[in-house]
Structure formats: structure tokens, C-alpha cells
Amino acid sequence: MKKILFCISFLFALFADAQPSPQRLQFKLDSLRAAGNYPGLSISIMDGDDKTVSLVCGFSDMEKQVPLSTKHMLMQGSVGKTYVAAIAIMLIKNGRLDLDEKVSAYLGRYAWYSRIPNASSITVRQIMNHTSGVMRYEFKPDFVNDLIAMPAKEWKPEELLKYVLDEKASFAAGEGWEYSDTNFILLGMIIEHLTGKKYYELLFEKILEPYQLANTKPTDRHLLPGIAQGYAGKDNPFKLPEKVIKDDGSFVINPQFEWTGGGLYSTTEDLAKWGKLLYEGKVIDTSLLIGEAVPAKLGRDAKYGLGIIIRPTPKGIAYGHSGFFPGYLTELYYFPGRKLCIALQANSSDMKNLKIGTQRILLEMANEYN
């Protein structure tokens, strides 16, 4: 009898550890927010049975003392590339896009294209895994100055590309690695060229509507309903005010510029749902994303595939992506060995004052699950 009782107690304890209570998770998240000095944190966790726990702590707006809620939406930043890559894979699978084709075959008809670094040699594969040698436009001083000077401007993709025209490539195509939003701007233009449709139209048609991601929306205008206040901090790289949302609810700049470099905001629960769908192969063949991975400068032994970051962690290999937009940080991790997906979003990108990184917070929360 004692042995039976011991076994029952052991199994109960094991199950309790595998499925931590929401109260325990909330306490952990609260502690990490305080230690990390974040205004607010939002997390959503989907386990192997697709059970979801969504938690928040802190404030949407610290000055107004507005609590952050699970209904608040936050900028995804570069995590938006995962949706762009998924649509590109759909086009590859139906034979309309070729990974090994030169980008010039799709965009060479534009007069400006020959002035893109490595214009004659880069392939679709290389822009998707950031081995093209085409540098990022978004931190160029001229672009930042123009963004601030023209906060209401609606940017066309080719207007973003002008900031890298005639630049010397960072390296010969395929012979290095450098993360660059410019690559995915080129990919977005290819997608629109091949389909004759606007990217966001395709996004709704192929992903958001069929997979019922109603709380994931384009950042294609100044006013983004439901978004939490974002804190960029002093001396931020985009020279923005500390608070990026004005009193009337609109952004201090037009976030529309990000487009296929990111271009989405969402609830954290929607983001976790997307990660589960994507990395469990319910949207596309995930092996295509992973199979093209190359060593990336994103941490020890990290690799980058086709719009996917593959990281070794103490909890096993993780698939996903990180995101930054002034005032916001995002992490999406999927642990294939455990079918566990965790999305974490913060409404601060004030690196000088944040004490704990978002990746560490996410992994600390993952530690609550066996």
C-alpha cells in the first residue's frame, strides 16, 4: 500500500511540475518583470495538448496607470517575417517561386534594381536566409532622419531601398551572414510581382482568415486600435520620444514603413497560436524552413533558415524568431521535442534600462514546464 501511495504521490508531483498552475506562472512572470524593469510583459504558452495559458503583468501605460491586459496588442517587429516566409514557401510549393533563381529574374525590370548591392548574383534563397550581402536600410542615418522629418509619410518599398542603392555589398553573395530587413523588402516585392496582389491582401487570404488569427493585424497606418503604449527610452536609435504612442492614440511615426520586414501587431495569444500552427506543419512544410539553415550571428550555435531562427537552449532546440520595433520587443519560441510554444511580448525596447533580456525571461518561463 505504501508503495502504491508513493507512486501516486510521485505521479501527482510529476504532473504538477509538467503543468504548472496559472498562479505559479503569474508569480514567476511578476518577479521577472520587476527584476527586468519592464513596464509590462505579456506571455502566452501553448502546451502539447494545445492548452493555452495567457498572462500579463505591469502596465500598458505607466503614467496613466493603465494595466496591461491579455486583450492589448503589441508590435511583433521582425517576427512578422515568419508570415512572409510562409507565403513565399506556398509559392515555392506551387512552382511559382524558385529558391535558386536570381532575384534579378523577378525584379530586374525595375530601373533601380541594378544599383542594389550584389544585384546580379543574389538568389531568393540568399535574401530569405540573410546571406545576400545586402545591408539593412532601417538604421541608415539618412533613413532615420527622413523618417523623423516626415512622420506622416507612407513609404513605398522602392523608397526604402534607395537608402542602400550603389552601396558596396557587405560581402559576396552567399559568402557571409548579416541580418537585414532589406532582404525581406525585396522578398515582399517578389511576392507581389508573382501574385499581382498586395502582400497584406495575401496575408489575410492565405493565413489570417483561414487560421482564425483575428487578433493579428497589419501595422499599415498611424492609428492601430488596441495597441499598448510602447517605451523606446531616451537616446533610442530612431531618435523618437520615450513614449511612441501619442495622446490621440496614434504613433509618433508611421509604422507602415516596416511592411514585409515585420509589419504586424497582435495579442500574444494569437502569436503563440501562430507559432504552433507554423512549426507543427499545419500551414506549410516546416522542413523547408529549417532545411535551409545557415550559421547566424544571433548567439552561440544559432542558425537562420528561411525566416526562422533555430537556437539551442537548455530545454532543447527552439524554432522561432525575435522582434524589435521602437517601444516593443517580441520573442517566439517553439520547442519541437515538447510541442511547447511560448510567445512573449514587452512594451519597452529601452535596452539601457532593461535588466533582463526577453530571451532569458522566456526561457525562465519555459523552465516551469518539464
Side-chain angles (χ1 to χ4, degrees), residues 1 23 49 84 157 205 212 235 265 304 350 354:
M1 179 63 73
Q23 293 82 3
D49 296 322
V84 184
E205 177 186 318
Q212 299 178 4
D235 304 319
Y265 76 124
Y304 199 97
D350 185 3
L354 297 178

Side-chain angles (χ1 to χ4, degrees), residues 24-33 364-365 368:
R24 177 173 158 182
L25 291 170
Q26 185 69 63
F27 178 81
K28 183 75 170 181
L29 188 65
D30 291 343
S31 300
L32 289 166
R33 183 189 82 87
E364 288 274 353
M365 296 300 291
E368 298 296 314

